[in-house]
């Protein structure tokens, strides 16, 4: 029971952070590994997806009720993200991901430096493309980052947010809302694969789901209340934490 309480609290905070800008896995995945050290890693990752997808999905619904997004953009982008995630999950079974593990903190560092240097980045919503072109570009983002999520994973939400801001001209609030939709699709793909392989503890995942949705509700309200500037600040903090975590995993552990 104590173990379940610990991971439930972690899931609540993960849902809160993930709803704002992504990166909830920074909290929940280490908590699961620390609480259940003897478990098969794939089972812990599958259980994480089984709980986290509900918070991400809930955040996506809440954002789309308050933030205007083009269905012509989001629908094909979600489908592309789903396909990319399946392809990435297959690729990881045949390709070594160690090179990506070492490159990731450097890529994140470049994103952080660029965001800090561009003080106005993501503060104003100014889409750069007409509907047809926006859908195509968003689909390419979904396919690419979806593949990354299936293949490796850390920082997926942050990559979605950054690319929607930098490439499509969204502000951080619209980018975060878009990221939730695409991240729900990639999480669904991963969950289907983990379930197929029998790597989900559903009794634990159910508790994580309730806590994750509660955290997601808090995080979504904070993002909608405080706007793009607040989301930008959380984005910077989360990317900084990702740099430290992935850098440690790649070069020190």
């Amino acid at each position: 029971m104590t173990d379940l309480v610990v991971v439930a609290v972690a899931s609540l905070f993960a849902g809160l952070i993930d709803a704002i800008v992504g990166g909830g896995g920074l909290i929940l995945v280490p908590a699961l590994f620390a609480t259940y050290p003897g478990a098969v890693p794939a089972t812990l990752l599958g259980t994480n997806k089984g709980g986290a997808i509900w918070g991400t999905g809930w955040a996506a619904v809440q954002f789309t009720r308050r933030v205007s997004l083009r269905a012509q953009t989001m629908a094909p982008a979600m489908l592309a993200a789903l396909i990319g995630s399946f392809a990435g999950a297959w690729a990881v079974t045949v390709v070594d991901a160690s090179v990506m593990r070492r490159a990731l903190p450097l890529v994140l560092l470049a994103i952080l430096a660029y965001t800090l240097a561009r003080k106005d980045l993501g503060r104003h919503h100014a889409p750069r493309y007409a509907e047809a072109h926006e859908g195509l570009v968003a689909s390419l983002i979904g396919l690419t980052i979806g593949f990354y999520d299936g293949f490796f994973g850390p920082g997926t939400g942050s990559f979605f947010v950054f690319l929607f801001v930098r490439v499509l001209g969204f502000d951080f609030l619209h980018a975060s809302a878009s990221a939730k939709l695409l991240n729900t699709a990639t999480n669904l793909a991963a969950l289907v694969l983990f379930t197929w392989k029998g790597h989900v503890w559903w009794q634990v995942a159910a508790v994580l789901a309730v806590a994750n949705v509660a955290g997601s509700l808090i995080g979504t309200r904070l993002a909608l209340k405080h706007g793009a500037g607040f989301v930008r600040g959380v984005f910077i903090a989360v990317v900084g934490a990702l740099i430290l975590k992935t850098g440690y995993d790649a070069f020190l552990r």
Side-chain angles (χ1 to χ4, degrees):
M1 182 60 70
T2 302
D3 290 347
L4 207 52
V5 170
V6 169
V7 294
V9 171
S11 185
L12 186 145
F13 282 105
L16 190 156
I17 295 298
D18 205 62
I20 299 171
V21 76
L26 274 174
I27 300 171
L28 184 51
V29 172
L32 284 166
F33 274 82
T35 305
Y36 305 104
V40 176
T43 300
L44 297 181
L45 293 172
T47 302
N48 166 62
K49 293 294 186 185
I53 190 174
W54 299 101
T56 306
W58 177 261
V61 170
Q62 295 305 304
F63 269 118
T64 53
R65 287 178 177 174
R66 299 281 297 278
V67 178
S68 179
L69 298 173
R70 292 173 176 171
Q72 299 93 327
T73 298
M74 292 298 109
M78 289 179 68
L79 178 60
L82 185 72
I83 294 170
S85 184
F86 270 119
W90 171 81
V92 79
T93 65
V94 295
V95 178
D96 184 7
S98 59
V99 174
M100 185 172 289
R101 188 186 308 277
R102 289 182 175 273
L104 180 60
L106 303 178
V107 174
L108 289 167
L109 186 61
I111 288 174
L112 179 60
Y114 185 87
T115 304
L116 291 173
R118 294 286 303 273
K119 302 296 184 182
D120 61 338
L121 185 70
R123 293 189 181 275
H124 305 288
H125 188 60
R128 295 193 175 99
Y129 299 97
E131 288 186 11
H133 288 156
E134 185 178 87
L136 176 61
V137 176
S139 296
L140 290 173
I141 292 172
L143 186 68
T144 303
I145 305 303
F147 180 89
Y148 167 79
D149 192 25
F151 185 74
F152 196 56
T156 295
S158 298
F159 282 127
F160 274 136
V161 170
F162 178 78
L163 289 174
F164 272 100
V165 170
R166 178 63 186 86
V167 178
L168 293 180
F170 288 12
D171 66 13
F172 271 97
L173 186 62
H174 284 78
S176 185
S178 303
K180 294 298 155 294
L181 289 169
L182 271 63
N183 220 169
T184 300
T186 61
N187 283 344
L188 178 61
L191 182 58
V192 168
L193 285 170
F194 281 125
T195 301
W196 179 40
K197 295 291 187 179
H199 285 303
V200 182
W201 287 341
W202 287 109
Q203 70 277 17
V204 177
V207 175
L208 297 182
V210 173
N212 204 258
V213 169
S216 178
L217 178 62
I218 298 169
T220 305
R221 288 184 174 178
L222 286 172
L224 291 170
K225 179 179 179 180
H226 297 290
F230 172 75
V231 177
R232 173 190 166 95
V234 177
F235 174 82
I236 290 171
V238 168
V239 171
L242 275 166
I243 291 168
L244 295 175
K245 175 67 168 62
T246 57
Y248 173 80
D249 289 345
F251 300 109
L252 298 177
R253 192 168 69 177

